[in-house]
Amino acid sequence: MFRRIGAAMAVAALALTGACGGGDDDKSSTAKATDTNFAAGTTMAKLHDAKKITIGTKYDQPGIAYKDPASGDLQGFDIEIAKYIGAKLGLDENQIEFKEVISKNREDFIKNGSVDLVIGSYSITDERKKVVDFAGPYYVTGQQLLVAKDDDSIKGPDDLKGKKVCSVTGSTSIATVEEKYGANPVPFGTYTECVNQLTSGSVDAVTTDGAILLGYAARQPDKLKVVGDAFSTENYGIGLKRGDTKFRAWLNDQIEGSFKDGSWKKAFEGTLGKSGVDTPEPPKVDRY
Ligand code: GLU
């Protein structure tokens, strides 16, 4: 059984051509729902009818997902992806409830229903796929190093032996640096805490995805720099409840739609692009 809700086709057409004017919302997703004709019983129909989705994201990663302490606004590439998905469910931005997640609670939050989705620098891994499912990837980055601006002793992961390297519990980053590079890992709950450890001189480096580190470096360019080439591949996906095949397929359709309609590129340029990351080609969605 299908229900047709007054579809905002005209608005969508404008959004797709980027012709909606209003320079103010240039950095926000321009997606509007084009087809909210969801089959009964699907998660899409449920969220659409509830007029609400809860999306877990990070609050402390400039460029990716960041909550401005003054205004309370959320900004970043992941936030734009979240808004795009919300719009495609036929929801207004104020019907998207964002909830803060940290690296180590993402699987639990999805499993116990605290969030409907996680869009928060969330790498697709086989280990995590045992617990949750992923749509995407919608972006690919790789692990790098953040060091003090005046530190010339660390140029890449091979220089990490015996160095104190901060990363986050439950992240792929801490696992890689522990397992492969003989560093002395210092675990914290968030990357903000790690960056504070670095600026106070308590650790020698912070490691995680380059896209995240570039955002921190862009905030304190006189104190911090990102060094070396990427030494891992991080495929960012949208985390959802394991086994919800129809929702995953629909999410993959939306991700591909954002690649095709220009929204993805626009979102990237308005967020990560501003931290100095070149706009890449969109990745190939993995419909596993
Ligand atoms: N993308 C990596 C991960 O999902 C590192 C960033 C993060 O901790 O969110 O583990």
Side-chain angles (χ1 to χ4, degrees), residues 135-151:
Y138 60 87
Y139 178 57
V140 184
T141 178
Q143 185 165 352
Q144 285 182 280
L145 299 168
L146 183 75
V147 298
K149 186 82 187 235
D150 57 3
D151 182 351

Side-chain angles (χ1 to χ4, degrees), residues 209-221:
D209 307 336
I212 298 174
L213 297 179
L214 282 163
Y216 291 119
R219 299 232 145 188
Q220 303 190 69

Side-chain angles (χ1 to χ4, degrees), residues 58 61 102-104 106-107 120-125 128 134 141 143 167-174 189 191 207-209 212 234-236:
K58 299 292 187 80
Q61 296 177 185
I102 55 172
S103 299
K104 73 163 186 255
R106 292 175 291 199
E107 287 87 67
S121 63
Y122 200 12
S123 297
I124 302 170
T125 70
R128 289 173 180 164
F134 288 97
T141 178
Q143 185 165 352
S167 199
V168 163
T169 310
S171 70
T172 53
S173 325
I174 201 151
Y191 295 105
T207 188
T208 187
D209 307 336
I212 298 174
E234 307 297 324
N235 289 292
Y236 283 8

Side-chain angles (χ1 to χ4, degrees), residues 162-189:
K163 300 268 190 191
K164 284 193 209 150
V165 183
C166 192
S167 199
V168 163
T169 310
S171 70
T172 53
S173 325
I174 201 151
T176 303
V177 85
E178 272 174 0
E179 286 159 20
K180 290 200 189 153
Y181 294 103
N184 182 1
V186 180
F188 271 83

Side-chain angles (χ1 to χ4, degrees), residues 25 28 32 45 48-49 54 65 70 72 111 114 122 138 141 145 153 157 163 193 195 206 210 212 224 226 235 257:
D25 51 39
S28 71
K32 292 284 182 287
H48 174 79
D49 293 350
T54 306
K111 245 178 20 186
S114 296
Y122 200 12
Y138 60 87
T141 178
L145 299 168
S153 72
K163 300 268 190 191
E193 291 168 288
V195 173
V206 176
I212 298 174
L224 302 170
V226 178
N235 289 292

